[in-house]
Amino acid sequence: MKCASAARAGLTAVAVLAMLTVSGCREEDAGLPSVSPSGRVSESASPTPPAERSGPRTLVDAPVAGGLDKLTGDGALTDVPVDPGEMRDGMTLVTGNYGDPDGQGAPVLFEGVDHVPEDTNERREHLFRGMLEYIRWDPELGHPEARPVEPGPLGGSVECLLASLSEDGNVICGWADEGTAAVALFEDSTLADAGELFVEMRGDLER
């Protein structure tokens, strides 16, 4: 008797197993569910979906980030405003002012590095301190508290801190993930608005 015939005959799992043993057919050949020692039939396990590819990402010198243009001419950066930390072979430094080409509103200053060899949270803290020095934050006022922000589809950790004594002012946001760390300065903004725009910009600056 063929294996498939035994299955169609409605035999119990134990009987089918015995018949398969005699006939030399294997369970996987017949496409039958496996039988536990208690005689109960267990369903075949669903195939495990392949894991999503992960690995260090890179930063790109995007001409547009979060709907803001990278400024050129008089609005372009002429130097690196914040010490990015130790730069090693294979690392990339990306900086830029992003905003309205017509000069409406203060530009967003961005600076980030990829292929960071150490803990990227530590590199982000380094960039946070550098940005606070850039805006001449008075250390006697204490260190502004960094608050978590929903990171969006790229994951990792995103935080923003308000370097102001009022509810709006200079907001510094930063991200850190498996291989990159970056910060941006949003002048005359709020934590909520800056955090939302920063996540949008990240989608264009990180690959």
Side-chain angles (χ1 to χ4, degrees):
M1 181 179 295
K2 296 182 179 179
C3 300
S5 298
R8 286 196 298 268
L11 297 177
T12 65
V14 175
V16 171
L17 181 60
M19 183 172 291
L20 291 175
T21 302
V22 174
S23 63
C25 295
R26 296 181 302 172
E27 289 177 84
E28 56 267 32
D29 293 337
L32 297 175
S34 61
V35 181
S36 67
S38 63
R40 294 185 179 180
V41 179
S42 61
E43 295 295 333
S44 299
S46 300
T48 303
E52 294 184 4
R53 194 182 73 161
S54 62
R57 300 190 181 100
T58 59
L59 298 184
V60 295
D61 191 14
V64 178
L68 303 178
D69 293 335
K70 183 171 183 179
L71 302 182
T72 58
D74 294 339
L77 286 179
T78 57
D79 59 5
V80 179
V82 175
D83 174 18
E86 183 180 2
M87 295 295 294
R88 302 181 183 179
D89 291 343
M91 295 179 65
T92 303
L93 171 65
V94 175
T95 63
N97 276 333
Y98 286 86
D100 187 338
D102 296 330
Q104 300 297 318
V108 175
L109 169 60
F110 174 84
E111 183 167 330
V113 289
D114 62 17
H115 294 91
V116 178
E118 77 275 10
D119 184 348
T120 54
N121 288 291
E122 294 180 2
R123 183 61 68 104
R124 177 177 58 183
E125 286 300 316
H126 179 90
L127 292 168
F128 268 148
R129 290 192 298 270
M131 194 68 82
L132 287 171
E133 292 176 2
Y134 174 77
I135 64 174
R136 299 182 180 179
W137 173 256
D138 187 351
E140 293 186 0
L141 297 175
H143 192 288
E145 180 184 359
R147 300 184 181 180
V149 174
E150 175 60 41
L154 291 177
S157 169
V158 177
E159 296 179 348
C160 292
L161 55 86
L162 177 62
S164 172
L165 298 179
S166 62
E167 294 183 356
D168 58 6
N170 289 325
V171 179
I172 303 172
C173 293
W175 85 64
D177 56 28
E178 186 174 349
T180 72
V183 293
L185 171 64
F186 302 83
E187 298 182 29
D188 301 320
S189 187
T190 64
L191 283 169
D193 290 343
E196 181 178 359
L197 179 54
F198 184 63
V199 171
E200 292 178 3
M201 293 179 67
R202 183 187 179 196
D204 295 314
L205 290 160
E206 185 177 14
R207 292 287 181 268

mmCIF file of all heavy atoms in Angstrom, residues 84-122:
data_model
loop_
_atom_site.group_PDB
_atom_site.id
_atom_site.type_symbol
_atom_site.label_atom_id
_atom_site.label_comp_id
_atom_site.label_asym_id
_atom_site.label_seq_id
_atom_site.Cartn_x
_atom_site.Cartn_y
_atom_site.Cartn_z
ATOM 1 N N PRO A 84 34.254 66.113 15.755
ATOM 2 C CA PRO A 84 33.526 64.850 15.593
ATOM 3 C C PRO A 84 34.110 63.698 16.401
ATOM 4 O O PRO A 84 33.552 62.606 16.421
ATOM 5 C CB PRO A 84 33.658 64.571 14.099
ATOM 6 C CG PRO A 84 34.979 65.176 13.741
ATOM 7 C CD PRO A 84 35.110 66.401 14.594
ATOM 8 N N GLY A 85 35.237 63.919 17.061
ATOM 9 C CA GLY A 85 35.920 62.821 17.736
ATOM 10 C C GLY A 85 36.952 62.202 16.814
ATOM 11 O O GLY A 85 37.154 62.648 15.679
ATOM 12 N N GLU A 86 37.595 61.157 17.291
ATOM 13 C CA GLU A 86 38.650 60.523 16.503
ATOM 14 C C GLU A 86 38.096 59.953 15.203
ATOM 15 O O GLU A 86 37.117 59.209 15.206
ATOM 16 C CB GLU A 86 39.312 59.411 17.313
ATOM 17 C CG GLU A 86 40.470 58.740 16.584
ATOM 18 C CD GLU A 86 41.115 57.643 17.402
ATOM 19 O OE1 GLU A 86 40.641 57.374 18.519
ATOM 20 O OE2 GLU A 86 42.090 57.043 16.906
ATOM 21 N N MET A 87 38.726 60.323 14.103
ATOM 22 C CA MET A 87 38.336 59.808 12.797
ATOM 23 C C MET A 87 39.368 58.777 12.350
ATOM 24 O O MET A 87 40.560 59.063 12.309
ATOM 25 C CB MET A 87 38.253 60.952 11.777
ATOM 26 C CG MET A 87 37.178 61.976 12.067
ATOM 27 S SD MET A 87 35.493 61.291 11.974
ATOM 28 C CE MET A 87 35.387 60.887 10.226
ATOM 29 N N ARG A 88 38.898 57.581 12.020
ATOM 30 C CA ARG A 88 39.784 56.499 11.604
ATOM 31 C C ARG A 88 39.501 56.123 10.153
ATOM 32 O O ARG A 88 38.521 56.565 9.557
ATOM 33 C CB ARG A 88 39.593 55.278 12.513
ATOM 34 C CG ARG A 88 39.850 55.575 13.988
ATOM 35 C CD ARG A 88 39.679 54.347 14.846
ATOM 36 N NE ARG A 88 39.843 54.633 16.263
ATOM 37 C CZ ARG A 88 39.732 53.738 17.219
ATOM 38 N NH1 ARG A 88 39.439 52.469 16.922
ATOM 39 N NH2 ARG A 88 39.883 54.075 18.489
ATOM 40 N N ASP A 89 40.383 55.299 9.602
ATOM 41 C CA ASP A 89 40.212 54.866 8.220
ATOM 42 C C ASP A 89 38.843 54.212 8.041
ATOM 43 O O ASP A 89 38.425 53.388 8.862
ATOM 44 C CB ASP A 89 41.303 53.865 7.835
ATOM 45 C CG ASP A 89 42.679 54.512 7.745
ATOM 46 O OD1 ASP A 89 42.727 55.755 7.655
ATOM 47 O OD2 ASP A 89 43.689 53.788 7.779
ATOM 48 N N GLY A 90 38.183 54.578 6.969
ATOM 49 C CA GLY A 90 36.877 53.996 6.672
ATOM 50 C C GLY A 90 35.705 54.782 7.203
ATOM 51 O O GLY A 90 34.558 54.516 6.821
ATOM 52 N N MET A 91 35.956 55.745 8.073
ATOM 53 C CA MET A 91 34.878 56.564 8.614
ATOM 54 C C MET A 91 34.581 57.734 7.680
ATOM 55 O O MET A 91 35.454 58.212 6.950
ATOM 56 C CB MET A 91 35.238 57.081 10.007
ATOM 57 C CG MET A 91 35.393 56.002 11.059
ATOM 58 S SD MET A 91 35.850 56.672 12.688
ATOM 59 C CE MET A 91 34.386 57.632 13.099
ATOM 60 N N THR A 92 33.337 58.190 7.715
ATOM 61 C CA THR A 92 32.916 59.324 6.893
ATOM 62 C C THR A 92 32.323 60.395 7.799
ATOM 63 O O THR A 92 31.519 60.092 8.677
ATOM 64 C CB THR A 92 31.857 58.906 5.861
ATOM 65 O OG1 THR A 92 32.366 57.842 5.048
ATOM 66 C CG2 THR A 92 31.472 60.076 4.964
ATOM 67 N N LEU A 93 32.723 61.633 7.576
ATOM 68 C CA LEU A 93 32.166 62.783 8.294
ATOM 69 C C LEU A 93 31.269 63.552 7.336
ATOM 70 O O LEU A 93 31.684 63.900 6.233
ATOM 71 C CB LEU A 93 33.291 63.683 8.808
ATOM 72 C CG LEU A 93 32.874 65.036 9.390
ATOM 73 C CD1 LEU A 93 32.051 64.850 10.657
ATOM 74 C CD2 LEU A 93 34.103 65.903 9.666
ATOM 75 N N VAL A 94 30.042 63.788 7.753
ATOM 76 C CA VAL A 94 29.087 64.536 6.929
ATOM 77 C C VAL A 94 28.610 65.739 7.729
ATOM 78 O O VAL A 94 28.169 65.598 8.880
ATOM 79 C CB VAL A 94 27.892 63.661 6.526
ATOM 80 C CG1 VAL A 94 26.842 64.499 5.780
ATOM 81 C CG2 VAL A 94 28.348 62.497 5.644
ATOM 82 N N THR A 95 28.725 66.928 7.153
ATOM 83 C CA THR A 95 28.253 68.147 7.802
ATOM 84 C C THR A 95 27.459 68.966 6.798
ATOM 85 O O THR A 95 27.587 68.791 5.578
ATOM 86 C CB THR A 95 29.422 69.006 8.332
ATOM 87 O OG1 THR A 95 30.230 69.419 7.223
ATOM 88 C CG2 THR A 95 30.278 68.214 9.309
ATOM 89 N N GLY A 96 26.661 69.883 7.295
ATOM 90 C CA GLY A 96 25.945 70.755 6.390
ATOM 91 C C GLY A 96 24.901 71.597 7.096
ATOM 92 O O GLY A 96 24.420 71.241 8.179
ATOM 93 N N ASN A 97 24.594 72.717 6.481
ATOM 94 C CA ASN A 97 23.466 73.541 6.900
ATOM 95 C C ASN A 97 22.281 73.212 5.999
ATOM 96 O O ASN A 97 22.420 73.195 4.762
ATOM 97 C CB ASN A 97 23.801 75.030 6.765
ATOM 98 C CG ASN A 97 24.552 75.573 7.955
ATOM 99 O OD1 ASN A 97 24.424 75.061 9.074
ATOM 100 N ND2 ASN A 97 25.332 76.623 7.752
ATOM 101 N N TYR A 98 21.138 72.957 6.596
ATOM 102 C CA TYR A 98 19.937 72.638 5.826
ATOM 103 C C TYR A 98 18.847 73.652 6.152
ATOM 104 O O TYR A 98 18.599 73.968 7.321
ATOM 105 C CB TYR A 98 19.458 71.224 6.156
ATOM 106 C CG TYR A 98 20.318 70.147 5.538
ATOM 107 C CD1 TYR A 98 21.454 69.686 6.181
ATOM 108 C CD2 TYR A 98 19.997 69.602 4.288
ATOM 109 C CE1 TYR A 98 22.262 68.706 5.606
ATOM 110 C CE2 TYR A 98 20.793 68.630 3.703
ATOM 111 C CZ TYR A 98 21.923 68.186 4.364
ATOM 112 O OH TYR A 98 22.723 67.213 3.783
ATOM 113 N N GLY A 99 18.212 74.147 5.111
ATOM 114 C CA GLY A 99 17.153 75.117 5.339
ATOM 115 C C GLY A 99 16.566 75.636 4.049
ATOM 116 O O GLY A 99 16.659 74.994 2.987
ATOM 117 N N ASP A 100 15.983 76.818 4.137
ATOM 118 C CA ASP A 100 15.359 77.473 2.997
ATOM 119 C C ASP A 100 16.435 78.226 2.214
ATOM 120 O O ASP A 100 17.133 79.076 2.777
ATOM 121 C CB ASP A 100 14.288 78.448 3.504
ATOM 122 C CG ASP A 100 13.477 79.060 2.381
ATOM 123 O OD1 ASP A 100 13.977 79.087 1.230
ATOM 124 O OD2 ASP A 100 12.348 79.508 2.641
ATOM 125 N N PRO A 101 16.587 77.929 0.915
ATOM 126 C CA PRO A 101 17.606 78.641 0.116
ATOM 127 C C PRO A 101 17.409 80.151 0.116
ATOM 128 O O PRO A 101 18.368 80.906 -0.105
ATOM 129 C CB PRO A 101 17.432 78.056 -1.293
ATOM 130 C CG PRO A 101 16.772 76.733 -1.071
ATOM 131 C CD PRO A 101 15.881 76.914 0.115
ATOM 132 N N ASP A 102 16.180 80.613 0.369
ATOM 133 C CA ASP A 102 15.911 82.048 0.386
ATOM 134 C C ASP A 102 16.310 82.700 1.701
ATOM 135 O O ASP A 102 16.138 83.923 1.872
ATOM 136 C CB ASP A 102 14.427 82.316 0.122
ATOM 137 C CG ASP A 102 14.001 81.865 -1.275
ATOM 138 O OD1 ASP A 102 14.864 81.895 -2.172
ATOM 139 O OD2 ASP A 102 12.843 81.473 -1.456
ATOM 140 N N GLY A 103 16.816 81.887 2.622
ATOM 141 C CA GLY A 103 17.286 82.447 3.878
ATOM 142 C C GLY A 103 16.211 82.672 4.917
ATOM 143 O O GLY A 103 16.448 83.368 5.913
ATOM 144 N N GLN A 104 15.031 82.093 4.718
ATOM 145 C CA GLN A 104 13.960 82.242 5.687
ATOM 146 C C GLN A 104 14.181 81.288 6.863
ATOM 147 O O GLN A 104 14.229 80.080 6.700
ATOM 148 C CB GLN A 104 12.600 81.943 5.027
ATOM 149 C CG GLN A 104 12.255 82.860 3.860
ATOM 150 C CD GLN A 104 12.127 84.316 4.291
ATOM 151 O OE1 GLN A 104 11.544 84.610 5.334
ATOM 152 N NE2 GLN A 104 12.677 85.213 3.493
ATOM 153 N N GLY A 105 14.318 81.844 8.054
ATOM 154 C CA GLY A 105 14.511 81.016 9.232
ATOM 155 C C GLY A 105 15.958 80.571 9.376
ATOM 156 O O GLY A 105 16.737 80.572 8.416
ATOM 157 N N ALA A 106 16.292 80.174 10.600
ATOM 158 C CA ALA A 106 17.661 79.716 10.881
ATOM 159 C C ALA A 106 17.870 78.334 10.285
ATOM 160 O O ALA A 106 16.993 77.472 10.363
ATOM 161 C CB ALA A 106 17.898 79.679 12.387
ATOM 162 N N PRO A 107 19.025 78.095 9.665
ATOM 163 C CA PRO A 107 19.289 76.768 9.099
ATOM 164 C C PRO A 107 19.509 75.733 10.199
ATOM 165 O O PRO A 107 19.846 76.075 11.335
ATOM 166 C CB PRO A 107 20.565 76.979 8.281
ATOM 167 C CG PRO A 107 21.254 78.122 8.964
ATOM 168 C CD PRO A 107 20.155 79.023 9.451
ATOM 169 N N VAL A 108 19.314 74.479 9.853
ATOM 170 C CA VAL A 108 19.582 73.375 10.757
ATOM 171 C C VAL A 108 21.012 72.905 10.518
ATOM 172 O O VAL A 108 21.362 72.525 9.395
ATOM 173 C CB VAL A 108 18.596 72.207 10.531
ATOM 174 C CG1 VAL A 108 18.969 71.013 11.413
ATOM 175 C CG2 VAL A 108 17.168 72.658 10.807
ATOM 176 N N LEU A 109 21.821 72.945 11.547
ATOM 177 C CA LEU A 109 23.208 72.501 11.438
ATOM 178 C C LEU A 109 23.279 71.011 11.736
ATOM 179 O O LEU A 109 22.855 70.565 12.803
ATOM 180 C CB LEU A 109 24.085 73.269 12.431
ATOM 181 C CG LEU A 109 25.509 72.758 12.641
ATOM 182 C CD1 LEU A 109 26.296 72.777 11.335
ATOM 183 C CD2 LEU A 109 26.211 73.576 13.715
ATOM 184 N N PHE A 110 23.806 70.236 10.792
ATOM 185 C CA PHE A 110 23.913 68.781 10.942
ATOM 186 C C PHE A 110 25.362 68.355 10.924
ATOM 187 O O PHE A 110 26.168 68.869 10.138
ATOM 188 C CB PHE A 110 23.157 68.060 9.819
ATOM 189 C CG PHE A 110 23.356 66.569 9.829
ATOM 190 C CD1 PHE A 110 22.595 65.758 10.647
ATOM 191 C CD2 PHE A 110 24.336 65.980 9.030
ATOM 192 C CE1 PHE A 110 22.785 64.377 10.678
ATOM 193 C CE2 PHE A 110 24.533 64.610 9.051
ATOM 194 C CZ PHE A 110 23.762 63.806 9.873
ATOM 195 N N GLU A 111 25.690 67.370 11.771
ATOM 196 C CA GLU A 111 27.025 66.776 11.746
ATOM 197 C C GLU A 111 26.919 65.323 12.208
ATOM 198 O O GLU A 111 26.279 65.036 13.230
ATOM 199 C CB GLU A 111 27.993 67.530 12.644
ATOM 200 C CG GLU A 111 29.412 66.980 12.583
ATOM 201 C CD GLU A 111 30.439 67.905 13.233
ATOM 202 O OE1 GLU A 111 30.223 69.139 13.226
ATOM 203 O OE2 GLU A 111 31.446 67.395 13.742
ATOM 204 N N GLY A 112 27.519 64.414 11.444
ATOM 205 C CA GLY A 112 27.444 63.006 11.805
ATOM 206 C C GLY A 112 28.617 62.214 11.262
ATOM 207 O O GLY A 112 29.325 62.662 10.349
ATOM 208 N N VAL A 113 28.835 61.035 11.817
ATOM 209 C CA VAL A 113 29.917 60.147 11.392
ATOM 210 C C VAL A 113 29.387 58.721 11.281
ATOM 211 O O VAL A 113 28.430 58.337 11.964
ATOM 212 C CB VAL A 113 31.098 60.171 12.398
ATOM 213 C CG1 VAL A 113 31.835 61.484 12.327
ATOM 214 C CG2 VAL A 113 30.614 59.911 13.822
ATOM 215 N N ASP A 114 30.008 57.928 10.411
ATOM 216 C CA ASP A 114 29.609 56.531 10.286
ATOM 217 C C ASP A 114 30.807 55.612 10.539
ATOM 218 O O ASP A 114 31.939 56.070 10.716
ATOM 219 C CB ASP A 114 28.963 56.242 8.925
ATOM 220 C CG ASP A 114 29.899 56.478 7.746
ATOM 221 O OD1 ASP A 114 31.135 56.554 7.950
ATOM 222 O OD2 ASP A 114 29.417 56.588 6.606
ATOM 223 N N HIS A 115 30.528 54.294 10.570
ATOM 224 C CA HIS A 115 31.537 53.277 10.864
ATOM 225 C C HIS A 115 32.311 53.607 12.141
ATOM 226 O O HIS A 115 33.543 53.518 12.196
ATOM 227 C CB HIS A 115 32.503 53.104 9.681
ATOM 228 C CG HIS A 115 31.823 52.552 8.459
ATOM 229 N ND1 HIS A 115 31.263 53.364 7.505
ATOM 230 C CD2 HIS A 115 31.603 51.286 8.054
ATOM 231 C CE1 HIS A 115 30.730 52.613 6.547
ATOM 232 N NE2 HIS A 115 30.915 51.342 6.859
ATOM 233 N N VAL A 116 31.559 54.018 13.154
ATOM 234 C CA VAL A 116 32.151 54.377 14.442
ATOM 235 C C VAL A 116 32.675 53.107 15.120
ATOM 236 O O VAL A 116 31.925 52.143 15.301
ATOM 237 C CB VAL A 116 31.108 55.065 15.336
ATOM 238 C CG1 VAL A 116 31.709 55.395 16.700
ATOM 239 C CG2 VAL A 116 30.575 56.326 14.655
ATOM 240 N N PRO A 117 33.952 53.075 15.527
ATOM 241 C CA PRO A 117 34.519 51.854 16.081
ATOM 242 C C PRO A 117 34.127 51.576 17.527
ATOM 243 O O PRO A 117 34.162 50.439 17.971
ATOM 244 C CB PRO A 117 36.030 52.085 15.973
ATOM 245 C CG PRO A 117 36.181 53.567 16.027
ATOM 246 C CD PRO A 117 34.974 54.124 15.342
ATOM 247 N N GLU A 118 33.737 52.627 18.268
ATOM 248 C CA GLU A 118 33.374 52.408 19.664
ATOM 249 C C GLU A 118 31.860 52.467 19.828
ATOM 250 O O GLU A 118 31.112 52.515 18.847
ATOM 251 C CB GLU A 118 34.057 53.448 20.573
ATOM 252 C CG GLU A 118 33.414 54.838 20.551
ATOM 253 C CD GLU A 118 33.906 55.728 19.432
ATOM 254 O OE1 GLU A 118 34.615 55.226 18.546
ATOM 255 O OE2 GLU A 118 33.580 56.924 19.441
ATOM 256 N N ASP A 119 31.397 52.472 21.066
ATOM 257 C CA ASP A 119 29.979 52.590 21.377
ATOM 258 C C ASP A 119 29.455 53.894 20.771
ATOM 259 O O ASP A 119 29.939 54.979 21.095
ATOM 260 C CB ASP A 119 29.792 52.582 22.897
ATOM 261 C CG ASP A 119 28.328 52.610 23.303
ATOM 262 O OD1 ASP A 119 27.458 52.861 22.452
ATOM 263 O OD2 ASP A 119 28.052 52.384 24.504
ATOM 264 N N THR A 120 28.468 53.788 19.899
ATOM 265 C CA THR A 120 27.964 54.989 19.225
ATOM 266 C C THR A 120 27.246 55.925 20.190
ATOM 267 O O THR A 120 27.141 57.123 19.918
ATOM 268 C CB THR A 120 27.029 54.616 18.072
ATOM 269 O OG1 THR A 120 25.987 53.747 18.554
ATOM 270 C CG2 THR A 120 27.788 53.925 16.952
ATOM 271 N N ASN A 121 26.742 55.411 21.309
ATOM 272 C CA ASN A 121 26.137 56.296 22.305
ATOM 273 C C ASN A 121 27.189 57.236 22.891
ATOM 274 O O ASN A 121 26.909 58.409 23.158
ATOM 275 C CB ASN A 121 25.488 55.471 23.423
ATOM 276 C CG ASN A 121 24.224 54.777 22.961
ATOM 277 O OD1 ASN A 121 23.212 55.418 22.687
ATOM 278 N ND2 ASN A 121 24.281 53.463 22.872
ATOM 279 N N GLU A 122 28.404 56.709 23.091
ATOM 280 C CA GLU A 122 29.491 57.550 23.592
ATOM 281 C C GLU A 122 29.868 58.612 22.564
ATOM 282 O O GLU A 122 30.143 59.766 22.908
ATOM 283 C CB GLU A 122 30.707 56.694 23.927
ATOM 284 C CG GLU A 122 30.483 55.727 25.082
ATOM 285 C CD GLU A 122 31.711 54.888 25.382
ATOM 286 O OE1 GLU A 122 32.753 55.089 24.703
ATOM 287 O OE2 GLU A 122 31.635 54.033 26.280
#
